[in-house]
Amino acid sequence: MLIPCDFIAFGEPLNPVGRHHDILIANVCAQAEALAFGKSPQEVEAEGTPKWLVPHRVFEGNRPSNTILAKRLTPETLGKLVALYEHSVFTQGTIWKIDSFDQWGVELGKALAQRIIPELESKAELNLAHDSSTNNLIRYYRKLKENA
């Protein structure tokens, strides 16, 4: 089964550290190249790889990928990326004749949020009755809010 992947990278780092960003960009380019062209058994053998290891180092390539290289990660760029993926979901749904944005799970989340909002806004100590993950998210958010 072919599963395409997307690589997203930015020309300008937000936190430049030596040549770290160049190394990251090189890896993005290399991964896309590896997916596209792979490595044949002949290429692996030519590297002097032991015979028993050759099948593990072979990669057929011809795997679809997209590489998106933007100048810098900004709110505008992030918004454009979100719009791109939302349009992709819409287009796929149209082709498959499904409503990609009719999400019953979203309705459940909205209903559950009505119980959580007062817990986030309350100043009193609460006896939370959610699962441990949700309880910890609520507690952590309240701490962040107290220390703001």
Side-chain angles (χ1 to χ4, degrees):
M1 174 181 221
L2 288 180
I3 300 174
C5 72
D6 293 341
F7 297 101
I8 302 171
F10 302 93
E12 294 178 13
L14 295 178
N15 298 300
V17 178
R19 56 191 280 254
H20 183 73
H21 195 71
D22 290 342
I23 293 168
L24 290 173
I25 297 298
N27 276 280
V28 167
C29 296
Q31 291 300 322
E33 183 178 20
L35 287 171
F37 301 104
K39 198 172 215 179
S40 70
Q42 296 78 18
E43 291 172 309
V44 174
E45 288 169 1
E47 294 172 345
T49 304
K51 201 85 163 148
W52 66 270
L53 194 53
V54 169
H56 303 286
R57 298 267 173 102
V58 170
F59 187 75
E60 73 179 73
N62 199 28
R63 300 288 189 244
S65 71
N66 295 305
T67 302
I68 300 169
L69 183 58
K71 182 175 180 178
R72 185 174 173 86
L73 177 58
T74 63
E76 180 183 0
T77 305
L78 182 59
K80 288 177 180 179
L81 287 168
V82 169
L84 171 71
Y85 284 97
E86 282 186 352
H87 183 69
S88 174
V89 168
F90 167 77
T91 302
Q92 290 172 35
T94 300
I95 291 168
W96 297 327
K97 297 185 183 348
I98 61 172
D99 182 354
S100 303
F101 300 101
D102 184 14
Q103 303 170 12
W104 291 101
V106 172
E107 292 302 317
L108 173 59
K110 288 178 181 177
L112 293 172
Q114 295 309 306
R115 193 175 93 199
I116 295 173
I117 291 168
E119 295 170 336
L120 297 176
E121 295 174 339
S122 175
K123 302 244 188 268
E125 187 61 35
L126 300 173
N127 184 17
L128 299 172
H130 303 277
D131 60 277
S132 62
S133 178
T134 305
N135 287 343
N136 283 317
L137 286 170
I138 292 168
R139 286 186 191 106
Y140 184 65
Y141 175 79
R142 287 172 50 118
K143 272 187 191 170
L144 290 174
K145 214 168 136 179
E146 284 174 17
N147 297 325

